[in-house]
Amino acid sequence: RDPLSEDIRQAIKEAYDLFDEDRSGSIDLKELVHTLDVVTGAIGWDPNEIRKEKDEIVRRLDAKGIQELSIQGFEKEMTVWFQERLARSEAGDAFDALNNGGLDAKLTHAKTSDTLTIDSLRNSLQTLGLYSAAGGEGRISEEDLVLMYKTADVNGDGLVERDDFHTYMRGASLF
C-alpha cells in the first residue's frame, strides 16, 4: 500500500522545490534535512521528535555515496520512510493491545509498559479466545506460546520489547 496521500505528495514537492533554490533538480544532504523538517512539520509531526530517523536517512544515503537527490529519489526515500513509520505505528498499536490485556495492566491500571511479558501475552490471547494451554482448533497451546515468545525476543534478553516485537512482526510479514 502507498503510504503517501496526495496531500503528503504535494507537501513533499513543495518542500523539495523550496530547498532546490538553484532549480538544479537536486538537493544535497544538508538541504535534505531542512526539507524533511518542512515535510514533517506540514503533516503535523514534530521535526525534533524524529531527529534520529532523519540522521539515519542521511547516514544511509551517505554510505551509498549519494550526495544529492532528485525529486524522484526524494519521493522514493519518503515512501520507504513513511512505510516504516506506518509499520512501526501499527506494530506499536498491536503491542499495546496485547500488553493492555495482560494481568499487570489490569491490576495496576498503569500505562502500557515497553516490555511485553509472556503472562500479558497469554492473558490477552486467552481473552481473545486464541489461547488454551492444551491448544486445540484455532487456539495457541502453551508450547506454541512459549516458542512464539522466545522467537519474538529478537535480542535474546528474555524480554519482548517494542523493538523486538516490531522486528518479529516485520519478519512474519504482518506489518
Side-chain angles (χ1 to χ4, degrees), residues 3-150:
L4 302 182
S5 68
E6 200 50 47
D7 289 342
I8 293 174
R9 285 188 190 284
Q10 186 60 36
I12 287 171
K13 173 97 174 81
E14 289 172 9
Y16 186 90
D17 288 345
L18 179 70
F19 289 100
D20 182 18
E21 293 176 358
D22 63 357
R23 300 294 178 245
S24 66
S26 64
I27 57 172
D28 64 30
L29 296 184
K30 185 186 284 187
E31 292 168 324
L32 170 66
V33 172
H34 296 298
T35 307
L36 289 170
D37 286 341
V38 171
V39 170
T40 55
I43 60 174
W45 294 349
D46 180 353
N48 293 320
E49 289 181 14
I50 56 172
R51 183 168 310 282
K52 279 192 206 175
E53 293 174 64
K54 291 186 298 188
D55 291 346
E56 180 55 34
I57 290 171
V58 171
R59 270 194 298 278
R60 186 169 33 84
L61 291 171
D62 193 39
K64 291 179 182 178
I66 298 171
Q67 297 300 309
E68 293 186 342
L69 282 175
S70 66
I71 184 64
Q72 294 84 6
F74 181 65
E75 191 170 295
K76 180 181 175 187
E77 286 299 317
M78 291 297 89
T79 300
V80 169
W81 186 47
F82 276 85
Q83 285 173 330
E84 178 64 22
R85 285 192 59 82
L86 181 60
R88 277 201 176 280
S89 176
E90 290 173 347
D93 290 348
F95 181 91
D96 289 341
L98 289 171
N99 213 351
N100 279 330
L103 186 59
D104 297 338
K106 287 180 183 175
L107 290 178
T108 63
H109 303 288
K111 185 179 177 197
T112 302
S113 74
D114 284 333
T115 303
L116 178 64
T117 66
I118 195 164
D119 289 335
S120 293
L121 180 59
R122 183 184 297 109
N123 289 338
S124 293
L125 293 174
Q126 195 165 24
T127 299
L128 295 169
L130 299 174
Y131 168 82
S132 171
E137 191 173 327
R139 294 203 172 147
I140 298 169
S141 69
E142 182 66 21
E143 182 179 333
D144 289 340
L145 177 74
V146 170
L147 178 62
M148 182 181 2
Y149 191 81
K150 285 181 179 178

Side-chain angles (χ1 to χ4, degrees), residues 95 114-116 155 157 159-166:
F95 181 91
D114 284 333
T115 303
L116 178 64
N155 65 11
D157 66 357
L159 303 169
V160 176
E161 289 98 0
R162 284 182 185 278
D163 286 342
D164 289 335
F165 187 78
H166 179 250

